[in-house]
C-alpha cells in the first residue's frame, strides 16, 4: 500500500496529461472535419458534390452547375415509375434547358449500359444521363427507392426530395417553379 502512496503524484500527473492530449485531439478533429460533412442529402442542406460520366463519356460535376437550379432524378431503365415520368421530364427539359439543369443519374450497378442507352434512344432523351456504375452517388445521396428526385436551388441547397413516382408533368412544373423561385414555370 505504501508503494501506491509513493507513486500517487506521478500517476495523477500522467492521467492529467493523457486527458489533456485526448481533449486536444478531440477538439482538433471537430475543427478539421472533412468538408463533405457539411453536405447532406437533406432538405435545407447543400447538395453533396459528385462527378459522373454520361453515355458519351463526358464528365459532369454537380458543382460546375453552381448558380443554376438543378433537378437530379435517380432512376433505372427497368423501373416502371421511372419509365412513366421520363417523357414529362423531357418535355420540361425542352422548355427550360436554359434556366434549369436536368440530370438523370442512372443506378447503373442495378442496370446495364446497353439497357440505359436503348431507353434513352427510344424515349429521345436530350438531357444528360449520368452513369453511376459503382453506386457511389446513390450511396452519397442515400437512395432507398427509385425514382428519387432532388430539387436544388441556384445556391446548391436542396429544396425538396421526392421519393417514388411517377410524377406528372404538372407536379414537376410546380416543383421546378419552387426552385426557380420566380413565378410560373409554364410561361417561359
Amino acid at each position: 500500500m505504501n508503494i501506491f502512496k509513493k507513486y500517487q503524484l506521478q500517476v495523477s500527473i500522467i492521467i492529467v496529461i493523457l486527458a489533456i492530449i485526448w481533449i486536444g485531439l478531440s477538439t482538433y478533429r471537430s475543427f478539421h472535419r472533412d468538408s463533405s460533412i457539411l453536405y447532406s442529402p437533406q432538405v435545407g442542406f447543400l447538395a453533396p458534390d459528385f462527378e459522373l460520366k454520361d453515355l458519351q463519356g463526358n464528365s459532369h460535376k454537380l458543382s460546375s452547375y453552381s448558380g443554376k437550379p438543378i433537378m437530379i432524378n435517380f432512376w433505372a431503365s427497368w423501373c416502371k415509375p421511372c419509365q412513366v415520368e421520363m417523357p414529362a421530364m423531357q418535355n420540361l427539359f425542352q422548355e427550360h434547358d436554359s434556366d434549369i439543369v436536368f440530370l438523370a443519374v442512372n443506378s447503373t450497378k442495378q442496370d446495364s449500359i446497353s439497357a440505359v442507352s436503348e431507353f434513352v434512344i427510344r424515349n429521345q432523351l436530350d438531357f444528360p444521363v449520368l452513369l453511376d456504375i459503382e453506386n457511389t452517388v446513390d450511396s452519397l445521396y442515400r437512395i432507398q427507392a427509385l425514382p428519387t428526385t432532388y430539387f436544388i436551388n441556384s445556391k446548391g441547397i436542396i429544396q425538396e426530395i421526392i421519393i417514388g413516382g411517377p410524377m406528372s408533368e404538372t407536379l414537376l412544373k410546380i416543383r421546378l417553379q419552387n426552385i426557380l423561385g420566380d413565378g410560373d414555370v409554364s410561361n417561359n
Side-chain angles (χ1 to χ4, degrees), residues 142-155:
R142 299 183 185 134
I143 301 303
Q144 303 285 319
L146 297 175
T148 295
T149 307
Y150 282 77
F151 295 90
I152 303 165
N153 70 14
S154 60
K155 295 176 184 169

Side-chain angles (χ1 to χ4, degrees), residues 30-102:
S30 69
F31 286 112
H32 293 87
R33 287 187 181 159
D34 183 1
S35 64
S36 67
I37 292 171
L38 301 173
Y39 300 92
S40 178
Q42 298 176 39
V43 171
F45 285 81
L46 285 171
D49 196 16
F50 64 85
E51 185 170 0
L52 291 173
K53 292 187 186 285
D54 62 21
L55 284 165
Q56 292 73 37
N58 302 314
S59 261
H60 295 263
K61 188 168 183 162
L62 186 64
S63 58
S64 69
Y65 298 110
S66 179
K68 290 185 92 173
I70 303 167
M71 184 193 81
I72 306 173
N73 178 260
F74 292 87
W75 70 288
S77 65
W78 49 262
C79 164
K80 295 297 180 193
C82 303
Q83 295 168 3
V84 172
E85 68 185 14
M86 282 295 177
M89 286 183 200
Q90 177 60 32
N91 290 341
L92 291 169
F93 170 74
Q94 289 174 334
E95 289 178 36
H96 304 288
D97 69 330
S98 63
D99 51 334
I100 299 174
V101 175
F102 288 73

Side-chain angles (χ1 to χ4, degrees), residues 9-184:
L9 180 61
Q10 289 91 347
V11 170
S12 296
I13 291 172
I14 290 173
I15 290 173
V16 169
I17 290 172
L18 289 174
I20 290 170
I21 291 171
W22 180 75
I23 291 169
L25 285 174
S26 297
T27 304
Y28 177 80
R29 280 192 209 144
S30 69
F31 286 112
H32 293 87
R33 287 187 181 159
D34 183 1
S35 64
S36 67
I37 292 171
L38 301 173
Y39 300 92
S40 178
Q42 298 176 39
V43 171
F45 285 81
L46 285 171
D49 196 16
F50 64 85
E51 185 170 0
L52 291 173
K53 292 187 186 285
D54 62 21
L55 284 165
Q56 292 73 37
N58 302 314
S59 261
H60 295 263
K61 188 168 183 162
L62 186 64
S63 58
S64 69
Y65 298 110
S66 179
K68 290 185 92 173
I70 303 167
M71 184 193 81
I72 306 173
N73 178 260
F74 292 87
W75 70 288
S77 65
W78 49 262
C79 164
K80 295 297 180 193
C82 303
Q83 295 168 3
V84 172
E85 68 185 14
M86 282 295 177
M89 286 183 200
Q90 177 60 32
N91 290 341
L92 291 169
F93 170 74
Q94 289 174 334
E95 289 178 36
H96 304 288
D97 69 330
S98 63
D99 51 334
I100 299 174
V101 175
F102 288 73
L103 299 174
V105 176
N106 178 266
S107 299
T108 316
K109 195 165 188 174
Q110 304 173 40
D111 213 335
S112 73
I113 294 174
S114 61
V116 174
S117 188
E118 288 171 22
F119 183 88
V120 167
I121 291 167
R122 184 172 60 252
N123 291 282
Q124 300 176 346
L125 302 179
D126 296 325
F127 49 83
V129 174
L130 312 181
L131 304 173
D132 190 8
I133 295 170
E134 298 297 322
N135 263 22
T136 53
V137 179
D138 273 27
S139 296
L140 180 64
Y141 277 76
R142 299 183 185 134
I143 301 303
Q144 303 285 319
L146 297 175
T148 295
T149 307
Y150 282 77
F151 295 90
I152 303 165
N153 70 14
S154 60
K155 295 176 184 169
I157 306 294
I158 298 169
Q159 298 298 297
E160 190 170 10
I161 304 167
I162 304 297
I163 300 170
M167 279 189 284
S168 68
E169 191 165 333
T170 302
L171 209 52
L172 275 167
K173 279 184 183 183
I174 292 167
R175 269 126 179 113
L176 295 175
Q177 178 180 340
N178 291 341
I179 61 172
L180 275 173
D182 64 352
D184 190 353

